[in-house]
Amino acid sequence: MANGMYRIQGEGAFEYLAKAQAQEREGKEVLHFEIGQPDFPTPQNIKDAAYESIENNFTGYVSATGILELKQAIQDEIEQTRGFRPSIEQILILPGAKPGIFFTMLGLVNPGEEVIYPDPGFPTYGSVVKYLNAGDVPIQLKEENEFRLNPNDIEERITDKTKLIILNSPQNPTGSVMTKEEIDKVAEIAEKNNIFLLSDEIYSKMLYEASFHSPAVRDESKERTIILDGFSKSYAMTGWRLGYVVGPEEIIERMGTLMINALSCTTSFVQKAGITALKGTQEPLMKMMKAFLERRNAIVEGLNSIPNFTCLHPQGAFYAFPNIKDTGMNSREIADHILYKAGVCCLPGSAFGEGGEGYLRFSYATSIETIQKAVQQIKDSFE
Ligand SMILES: Cc1ncc(COP(=O)(O)O)c(C=O)c1O
């Protein structure tokens, strides 16, 4: 195999899902908090749009960079939510947000060049850095700063090899949301040092008390900022595979060539469904966020009631990230203990990088009853 194949890594969520399923095969009940996907069905109007376009035989190859109608819907979306209108040539439609991470890094980073990214963070960032033989520069997110990436920490780690900074706000796995000042400062640092910025905004519609800001406002994604967003989380469409990037035209054009070679195009009728997601009623999203807010409050209260657990209030996404350092066990030991002794599957914080050691991640895409039951079972398991 090629050398890079020994460097690319899997995801802890799938490892723990497999462990939980093994328990279930033995007849044991497991309460699931490991996978980051909404437990709501895809809204009916979105499904109907896909059925209709299949019926109309919209099932062939389409443009490698995405269909015009969806790009136009994304132009409107970016204008409404980020305050500027990108050109059609700045938009690339992809099968999910994840290929946007892979293609952006493949398209920008040479071996030896450095990538700065949050730790704990979405595992794909570090994995692709290693795959590309690029320089790995994880920046520790600190609980004292409510897990928000501190722009000063970024500035300290910039070298003449730094090529790309990855931001993710609202963040996976901590649920932190960076302030406007912090986001603006990172955009300024990137500009001053002539560094590209990948802003993973997949949770931009999933906020509680905080408000969302994008660093792309500074250059309107014309110079250095690549916005990554998608439909998986906000519209409960994880299995459909639909996402997009907005970036400088010449980079997007080259990334379109990666699409031609790797995937030909994003599934035609899924793109039609995406138009309905953006243009249709946002009621299901609002209902989902109302439920997530109630669950967030329930899980934070519950986790804080477990001896030796403390948990901040996440401001976005649907993850709680309790500190378990006072238990005296590391995060894998605790995650295994909770799975095998309490029948609750969550993820060790260390699955998101060394900076996640001492924490657990609970995806609260589940009912209040399940949250309360899980908290009780975890408490009982320590008695
Ligand atoms: C921060 C972050 N970025 C990207 C993705 C990938 O999204 P998609 O399923 O659309 O590829 C996820 C999914 O968990 C995520 O948490």
Side-chain angles (χ1 to χ4, degrees), residues 85-134:
R85 190 171 183 81
S87 69
I88 292 292
E89 290 71 29
Q90 281 183 276
I91 300 169
L92 176 65
I93 316 285
L94 297 160
K98 243 185 198 173
I101 301 170
F102 197 63
F103 287 173
T104 298
M105 290 168 79
L106 213 57
L108 294 180
V109 184
N110 292 303
E113 291 177 335
E114 292 174 354
V115 181
I116 291 176
Y117 62 93
D119 177 15
F122 190 49
T124 298
Y125 310 144
S127 173
V128 180
V129 171
K130 291 179 189 83
Y131 176 71
L132 294 173
N133 234 344

Side-chain angles (χ1 to χ4, degrees), residues 96-98 101 122 125 168 172 200 202-203 232-233 241 319:
K98 243 185 198 173
I101 301 170
F122 190 49
Y125 310 144
N168 174 217
N172 178 9
D200 183 342
I202 185 101
Y203 298 104
S232 298
K233 315 286 175 172
R241 311 311 301 138
Y319 308 114

Side-chain angles (χ1 to χ4, degrees), residues 30 66 110 157 166 188-189 208 212 215 227 245 262 290 304 314-315 337 348 381:
V30 178
N110 292 303
R157 303 289 297 278
I166 303 178
E188 198 186 309
I189 292 169
Y208 306 110
F212 170 72
I227 296 176
V245 285
K290 189 166 171 283
N304 277 315
Q315 297 292 312
H337 169 98
S381 76

